[in-house]
Amino acid sequence: MENIGGLLGRGIRYVRQYGAVQLYRKIQERRQLNRLEAPYQAWLTRSQPGIEKLKAQREDKDPLAPRISILVPAYETPREFLLEMVESVRNQTYENWELCIADGSKSNQVEKALEKVLGQEPRICYQHLKENGGISQNTNAALAMAHGEYVALLDHDDLLFPQTLYEVAKAIKKNPQAEVFYTDEDKVSFDTKRHFQPHFKPDFNLELLRSNNYICHFFVVNRERAQRVGGFLSEFDGAQDYDFIFRCVEQGGPVVHIPEILYSWRSHASSTAADPESKLYAYQAGRRAVAAHLARLGETGQVVDTENYGFYRVKYRGKKARREENGKTQKQVLINSFENLHGQKGIKVVYYGKVRNKIVTFRKRDVTDDYVLFTCVKKGKVTPGFFRELRVACERPGVGMACARVYDVHGRLSHSVVMAGVRNPLGITMKGLKKGYLGYFHRACLQQELLEPTDCFLIKGKLLEELLRLYKEGDSDKDTVTVDMVWMGAQVREMGHRIVYEPWAVLYEQR
């Protein structure tokens, strides 16, 4: 009954803020995702290494293998959860680890729970802190206990798979220039019998990280780097991992994604996995962590909450919009109709047919505008500030294409949202998503870097001219050129430019 009451209270608060229709959509989408994720438990069972493979991992003794120190800040952890966490570490096929537990509890229940195992396992380091310094300071105490070349973050009630550290060590050996690693994860029921909501993550994606802490668990970093960035900061308690991850990746170098489910986040009544409203302060700290990250990099942008806890939008500051000859700004002209884009000063619209698989033919001499907008939608309406959102994104350093979110005449997302490195064994896609739905881990509505453009994107005229010179018809005498949009996206990335998704620039196709 307590859970039902909590859900009802959350629902009432959500309706007051966002309306009954949006709550209905949220519930319906969660049901749809549950159906799509239903095969996950069976898939996970099939994909786990068998007895022989686990045995081979245990027998793989590499004298140069790094020690991995696992940092666990504990606080009044229930005995059962704590011991299951410890056993998940002791069951690792990779043996060169140490478990550093910094206990900030007022009582001695954690110490008593560990009494037996501490006598059996010399690789576990335990310290009962004199006082509870909060999650950041307690984690710093665990960091001070660590002797390994790498440190990893583990919550006091979560679980590792037996092969987790072996896969991490393998990735470290394969990527000697890297100092930062992370894995995919899922959630597990409090009784550990059911795994659900798998998070198949992309390769390192800074745009997405600014929208949400998608890296989260299992995060592994070189110990010297962790110390160099200053460890964990109390001002970000609740989102201390988020802030720490930002400061670690800001140091440069490769950030390696291990595309395997290797960490299970326990879902119980007081965890954010089960009830996002249980730690609202954590989401406020997360917003401040993104803002601090932008400030350190000298990027100007306002970080604002979205309607979903823990998901943010960065409103980047662009150059002042030019005024048109009729005295209206770009924003004012574009507020009503997508067709108003046509013929505007400083932008050309190039249409391509949907049935031709993103192949477009246009005149080379027309590519003289500051920006060119490619789209397969000829008639549609756009959200206020549509062009400004895309233009500001295009102005940012290193960005080659800025992509809009596009809905077809049936009110469904007309394109996929494709990021590099995402494993997708369940076949979950964004294409065809209903208007108002958020998509898998909200990806339809989050700023992120893409592998290929959507059905509407903005590109600088000068960059397009450069692309045409590289294209197979670029040096011909023909006035027209036929360009493959997929090739264009790949070439933009090969040239070192990023393709960014600006979901707040929305295009609705009209009949």
Side-chain angles (χ1 to χ4, degrees):
M1 289 299 293
E2 184 178 346
N3 285 342
I4 294 175
L7 287 171
L8 183 60
R10 286 162 54 195
I12 292 172
R13 288 192 293 274
Y14 193 91
V15 168
R16 286 174 178 169
Q17 191 165 3
Y18 302 110
V21 172
Q22 191 59 26
L23 177 62
Y24 174 78
R25 287 173 176 166
K26 194 178 183 73
I27 293 171
Q28 290 298 104
E29 182 173 17
R30 185 64 259 170
R31 287 177 175 172
Q32 179 180 321
L33 281 171
N34 286 342
R35 288 194 295 270
L36 291 172
E37 294 170 0
Y40 171 66
Q41 181 85 50
W43 175 87
L44 181 67
T45 301
R46 292 194 307 270
S47 67
Q48 290 303 293
I51 295 175
E52 290 302 316
K53 191 169 184 178
L54 292 175
K55 181 182 177 183
Q57 290 180 4
R58 295 182 192 280
E59 295 173 351
D60 185 5
K61 310 290 186 182
D62 184 352
L64 300 178
R67 181 185 295 185
I68 301 172
S69 299
I70 302 171
L71 312 183
V72 177
Y75 183 79
E76 306 293 1
T77 315
R79 175 185 176 85
E80 181 182 3
F81 293 170
L82 179 72
L83 293 180
E84 286 176 347
M85 177 276 292
V86 170
E87 282 307 299
S88 79
V89 176
R90 295 185 72 194
N91 287 335
Q92 291 299 298
T93 59
Y94 184 80
E95 296 182 347
N96 196 9
W97 56 263
E98 67 175 354
L99 178 59
C100 304
I101 303 175
D103 180 14
S105 305
K106 293 180 180 179
S107 72
N108 64 348
Q109 75 173 45
V110 170
E111 188 172 6
K112 287 186 68 175
L114 293 173
E115 203 168 39
K116 183 177 180 180
V117 75
L118 287 174
Q120 299 172 339
E121 183 55 80
R123 291 173 295 182
I124 299 179
C125 309
Y126 169 80
Q127 182 180 358
H128 196 158
L129 305 177
K130 293 181 180 179
E131 60 180 7
N132 177 27
I135 184 71
S136 292
Q137 291 309 312
N138 293 357
T139 309
N140 282 335
L143 176 60
M145 296 161 62
H147 299 91
E149 293 94 328
Y150 287 83
V151 295
L153 309 184
L154 174 62
D155 283 356
H156 62 168
D157 53 1
D158 291 344
L159 304 171
L160 300 181
F161 287 82
Q163 71 275 22
T164 297
L165 295 184
Y166 181 87
E167 294 296 338
V168 169
K170 186 168 72 173
I172 291 172
K173 184 177 180 179
K174 186 178 178 181
N175 301 274
Q177 303 303 314
E179 294 186 340
V180 180
F181 302 82
Y182 66 95
T183 75
D184 294 349
E185 64 185 274
D186 68 8
K187 293 185 177 70
V188 65
S189 59
F190 77 96
D191 59 4
T192 74
K193 292 181 179 179
R194 184 172 70 93
H195 288 260
F196 59 102
Q197 289 185 19
H199 191 176
F200 298 107
K201 304 173 186 176
D203 290 345
F204 182 58
N205 195 310
L206 185 58
E207 297 292 320
L208 182 63
L209 186 60
R210 291 173 176 178
S211 300
N212 169 251
N213 182 12
Y214 82 90
I215 288 180
C216 203
H217 306 300
F218 185 50
F219 185 71
V220 181
V221 62
N222 179 276
R223 179 168 60 91
E224 291 183 358
R225 180 178 290 212
Q227 293 169 332
R228 189 165 63 247
V229 302
F232 299 82
L233 304 180
S234 296
E235 63 199 87
F236 296 103
D237 272 2
Q240 71 288 334
D241 291 1
Y242 198 10
D243 167 68
F244 178 69
I245 289 170
F246 273 126
R247 287 182 286 115
C248 285
V249 302
E250 286 166 18
Q251 295 289 304
V255 178
V256 176
H257 167 219
I258 304 169
E260 302 285 342
I261 300 281
L262 297 174
Y263 186 103
S264 290
W265 185 10
R266 191 190 297 265
S267 177
H268 54 85
S270 62
S271 75
T272 53
D275 179 9
E277 291 191 348
S278 64
K279 295 183 180 179
L280 287 178
Y281 72 93
Y283 305 119
Q284 296 166 357
R287 184 179 66 245
R288 289 187 280 105
V290 180
H293 157 72
L294 292 172
R296 285 190 297 270
L297 296 186
E299 293 199 40
T300 55
Q302 180 189 7
V303 185
V304 298
D305 293 315
T306 67
E307 64 186 60
N308 299 283
Y309 296 124
F311 295 88
Y312 311 101
R313 173 190 179 185
V314 180
K315 293 184 176 180
Y316 293 97
R317 193 173 301 163
K319 299 173 184 177
K320 192 174 181 180
R322 296 185 305 275
R323 290 189 172 273
E324 299 300 317
E325 293 178 1
N326 62 4
K328 294 183 178 180
T329 63
Q330 298 278 14
K331 181 177 179 180
Q332 290 170 327
V333 171
L334 298 176
I335 195 168
N336 294 319
S337 172
F338 180 70
E339 292 177 324
N340 286 337
L341 278 167
H342 228 5
Q344 284 190 99
K345 182 181 179 182
I347 180 172
K348 176 179 176 56
V349 182
V350 174
Y351 299 111
Y352 58 92
K354 296 180 183 180
V355 296
R356 299 186 62 199
N357 296 320
K358 296 190 176 182
I359 303 295
V360 60
T361 300
F362 58 97
R363 295 181 302 178
K364 288 187 287 185
R365 67 170 181 261
D366 286 341
V367 186
T368 57
D369 298 71
D370 293 341
Y371 297 96
V372 178
L373 187 81
F374 284 85
T375 177
C376 60
V377 176
K378 287 193 173 183
K379 185 178 180 181
K381 289 189 176 181
V382 296
T383 49
F386 176 86
F387 178 59
R388 181 194 175 279
E389 298 290 354
L390 295 181
R391 178 177 55 79
V392 167
C394 243
E395 287 173 352
R396 293 175 55 210
V399 174
M401 290 178 173
C403 304
R405 180 165 31 137
V406 185
Y407 290 97
D408 63 21
V409 292
H410 304 292
R412 293 182 177 270
L413 204 64
S414 69
H415 52 79
S416 296
V417 180
V418 184
M419 291 182 286
V422 179
R423 185 173 60 162
N424 189 13
L426 303 182
I428 299 174
T429 180
M430 299 296 109
K431 190 172 183 178
L433 194 71
K434 289 182 180 179
K435 184 174 67 174
Y437 284 22
L438 303 171
Y440 181 68
F441 282 89
H442 301 201
R443 290 177 188 171
C445 305
L446 295 179
Q447 292 162 317
Q448 59 202 267
E449 184 176 342
L450 298 181
L451 195 59
E452 59 186 51
T454 67
D455 284 347
C456 179
F457 63 89
L458 189 72
I459 185 171
K460 293 186 182 77
K462 289 183 179 179
L463 177 57
L464 183 56
E465 288 178 337
E466 191 175 347
L467 284 169
L468 294 180
R469 285 195 294 270
L470 294 172
Y471 201 61
K472 59 184 178 181
E473 293 182 342
D475 295 326
S476 71
D477 295 329
K478 295 180 180 178
D479 178 52
T480 60
V481 60
T482 300
V483 180
D484 182 337
M485 298 292 99
V486 175
W487 174 89
M488 184 185 290
Q491 192 63 47
V492 164
R493 296 179 74 247
E494 191 172 317
M495 293 167 67
H497 300 284
R498 292 179 293 133
I499 303 172
V500 298
Y501 181 49
E502 185 44 79
W504 308 100
V506 189
L507 165 60
Y508 300 97
E509 186 175 13
Q510 305 293 298
R511 293 183 184 276

